[in-house]
Amino acid sequence: MLVLLPPSEGKASSGRGAPLKPESLSLPGLAEAREAVLAELVELCAADEEKAREVLGLSEGLRGEVAKNAALRTAGARPAGEIYTGVLYDALGLASLDAAAKKRAARSLLVFSGLWGAVRVTDRIPSYRCSMGVKLPGLGALTGHWRAPMAEVLPEAAGRGLVLDLRSAAYAAAWKPKGEVAGRTATVRVLHAPTRKVVSHFNKATKGRIVRSLLSEGAAPKGPAELVTALRDLGYAVEAQAPGTAGKPWALDVLVDEVH
């Protein structure tokens, strides 16, 4: 099973660990595309703080993020699972998983990123600020920058098993599973059951809880239909829509009354 996650806008500090080693990151087929984004982002943020703030869409209160980006090559690095914070990652609670579940997380979780493309939760990265919606002056829109390398690398990373896609729209646009990979992909929405509407907090927290449940229980669904069964067995209310044509993903709605 491969689980595709969005990053978090907020991130923990880099700390004092050893600096980034780009060659150590998973998915080495993305290395050239990563270096292109990293080089332009560092140069932009080191040269012109105001322009960098404008390009990155940062408010005055987030001015410090520009200096953080300028120092990406020398800043301390930590596992990505420690860098990403926020509602989804709080609910996922990687640090509190048992040893077996942590191993499953290391194998299964892939976090998408405007800067790195995609990383495993064990990949060591510095804290940064660069969303997939950014348009760099030289490279252009990052969504477009990542499409070709992702199309080369991600099908192999997906292997032959289930792909559970929990990404937000901006990150999903960087790689859309096609063909037989799409046929074993399940996308998930979380709906507030009484209103049938997507609510941000319900959505993020429940997605984190779903991943935690699957990892903790050692669930290993082989495809979308098996995933529906596994989630229902775990106590989730799931409505599933199988694709009407081949090469399309399944659409799953998880209904939630409230999140405690």
Side-chain angles (χ1 to χ4, degrees):
M1 177 174 65
L2 184 68
V3 182
L4 312 180
L5 296 174
S8 59
E9 190 169 283
K11 298 173 183 69
S13 64
S14 294
R16 298 183 178 181
L20 171 72
K21 294 181 179 179
E23 69 278 6
S24 72
L25 297 179
S26 302
L27 308 179
L30 299 178
E32 183 177 346
R34 285 173 177 147
E35 176 56 31
V37 181
L38 179 62
E40 184 171 353
L41 184 63
V42 169
E43 182 179 1
L44 171 68
C45 291
D48 190 331
E49 183 178 271
E50 290 307 315
K51 183 177 180 180
R53 276 211 305 130
E54 180 183 350
V55 169
L56 297 173
L58 300 177
S59 66
E60 174 67 30
L62 293 173
R63 182 179 292 273
E65 300 293 289
V66 176
K68 179 192 293 185
N69 283 347
L72 281 171
R73 294 193 187 275
T74 56
R78 297 167 59 186
E82 297 177 12
I83 291 290
Y84 294 115
T85 60
V87 174
L88 188 154
Y89 290 90
D90 286 347
L92 172 52
L94 284 169
S96 63
L97 291 172
D98 63 32
K102 285 179 179 177
K103 289 181 179 178
R104 297 183 195 108
R107 293 194 304 266
S108 302
L109 306 188
L110 201 60
V111 184
F112 277 61
S113 162
L115 174 53
W116 314 114
V119 292
R120 304 280 185 186
V121 292
T122 50
D123 285 334
R124 298 180 63 83
I125 59 173
S127 185
Y128 67 96
R129 191 70 172 234
C130 185
S131 72
M132 190 64 81
V134 164
K135 184 177 182 179
L136 292 175
L139 291 177
L142 291 180
T143 301
H145 172 74
W146 284 114
R147 281 198 186 110
M150 290 283 195
E152 290 289 327
V153 172
L154 268 294
E156 181 178 354
R160 297 182 177 277
L162 168 71
V163 178
L164 175 54
D165 191 351
L166 302 178
R167 297 172 296 167
S168 53
Y171 292 90
W175 179 61
K176 295 183 179 180
K178 298 182 183 299
E180 64 88 19
V181 179
R184 49 187 167 84
T185 297
T187 63
V188 173
R189 294 190 308 174
V190 179
L191 302 181
H192 183 218
T195 63
R196 309 288 297 189
K197 293 181 179 179
V198 175
V199 181
S200 179
H201 181 81
F202 288 100
N203 181 54
K204 294 176 182 178
T206 303
K207 285 179 176 178
R209 289 170 183 257
I210 285 171
V211 177
R212 183 180 179 88
S213 297
L214 293 169
L215 294 173
S216 297
E217 296 299 321
K222 297 184 183 301
E226 292 85 354
L227 173 63
V228 172
T229 299
L231 291 177
R232 287 173 177 164
D233 288 346
L234 290 168
Y236 293 95
V238 181
E239 295 178 353
Q241 182 176 345
T245 58
K248 299 291 185 182
W250 284 53
L252 274 57
D253 286 341
V254 177
L255 306 180
V256 180
D257 289 319
E258 59 181 323
V259 176
H260 298 285

